[in-house]
Amino acid sequence: MQGFRQEEGIDYNEVYAPVARLEAIRIFLAYASFKGFKFYQMDVKSAFLYGKVKEIVYVAQPPGFVDPFYPKKVFMLDKALYGLHQAPRAWYETLSTHLMDNGFMRGTVDCTLFIKETVGHLILVQIYVDDIIFGSTCDRLCKEFEVVMQKKFEMSSMGR
């Protein structure tokens, strides 16, 4: 089987992954600008590969990578792949769990917004699939956030 040939209800039940709306990003930027935040952007490299697949999924060997000794063998996935229907949800669950394990709270209205408060300071993190924008009233919180993310994921920092 290949990811695009999966059938809902048989191969997976839930694929929905929250995605930030343009309005939410505009509100995030307006609020952060009003508060004098410095903004940064990061990108997660190969984000979907960090997601864990809960269902049992078998995939055929991809063209060009077929084992000549076992051409009929298939692979059982334990991580999501691009093209797999449930990959976006698996990635979002991995990311949100990591953020919450590190002291962030998920937004109540917008579940792509994560917030962490410390004494007198605030850091806001907005997720758009594998792109992350974040800002804070304190540079130290931004640096700490980058370290927290780079401990678990391979990241590209786009800078300020």
Side-chain angles (χ1 to χ4, degrees):
M1 175 193 319
Q2 296 170 350
F4 60 85
R5 296 175 75 188
Q6 291 178 282
E7 293 183 36
E8 184 175 0
I10 297 172
D11 300 312
Y12 62 89
N13 290 319
E14 185 63 55
V15 298
Y16 170 76
V19 176
R21 297 184 55 170
L22 184 56
E23 295 84 359
I25 294 171
R26 284 183 179 149
I27 292 169
F28 170 90
L29 294 173
Y31 177 77
S33 180
F34 172 75
K35 288 291 195 179
F37 284 19
K38 291 181 182 173
F39 296 102
Y40 298 89
Q41 182 178 358
M42 296 178 83
D43 179 69
V44 182
K45 295 180 181 178
S46 304
F48 287 176
L49 296 179
Y50 292 102
K52 298 285 185 200
V53 178
K54 293 179 182 176
E55 301 84 8
I56 296 174
V57 179
Y58 296 98
V59 295
Q61 296 180 51
F65 295 94
V66 176
D67 185 332
F69 299 107
Y70 303 101
K72 299 287 185 200
K73 295 261 181 180
V74 295
F75 297 110
M76 185 173 85
L77 297 180
D78 65 341
K79 290 185 174 186
L81 292 175
Y82 285 89
L84 197 64
H85 288 294
Q86 60 267 49
R89 182 165 188 83
W91 157 243
Y92 174 79
E93 287 179 15
T94 299
L95 175 61
S96 62
T97 299
H98 180 65
L99 289 173
M100 290 188 292
D101 287 348
N102 282 282
F104 284 84
M105 296 181 310
R106 188 185 342 238
T108 52
V109 174
D110 181 0
C111 55
T112 64
L113 177 68
F114 293 84
I115 304 159
K116 184 175 184 179
E117 293 182 79
T118 61
V119 181
H121 293 288
L122 176 71
I123 182 168
L124 299 178
V125 177
Q126 184 79 58
I127 308 298
Y128 186 84
V129 187
D130 63 347
D131 292 311
I132 300 170
I133 55 173
F134 61 100
S136 178
T137 54
C138 175
D139 280 338
R140 179 183 51 80
L141 289 177
C142 289
K143 288 179 183 17
E144 287 175 7
F145 176 73
E146 286 187 19
V147 169
V148 162
M149 293 302 290
Q150 290 172 343
K151 276 185 185 176
K152 183 155 179 108
F153 309 112
E154 190 176 343
M155 307 288 299
S156 295
S157 179
M158 312 305 220
R160 263 183 91 180

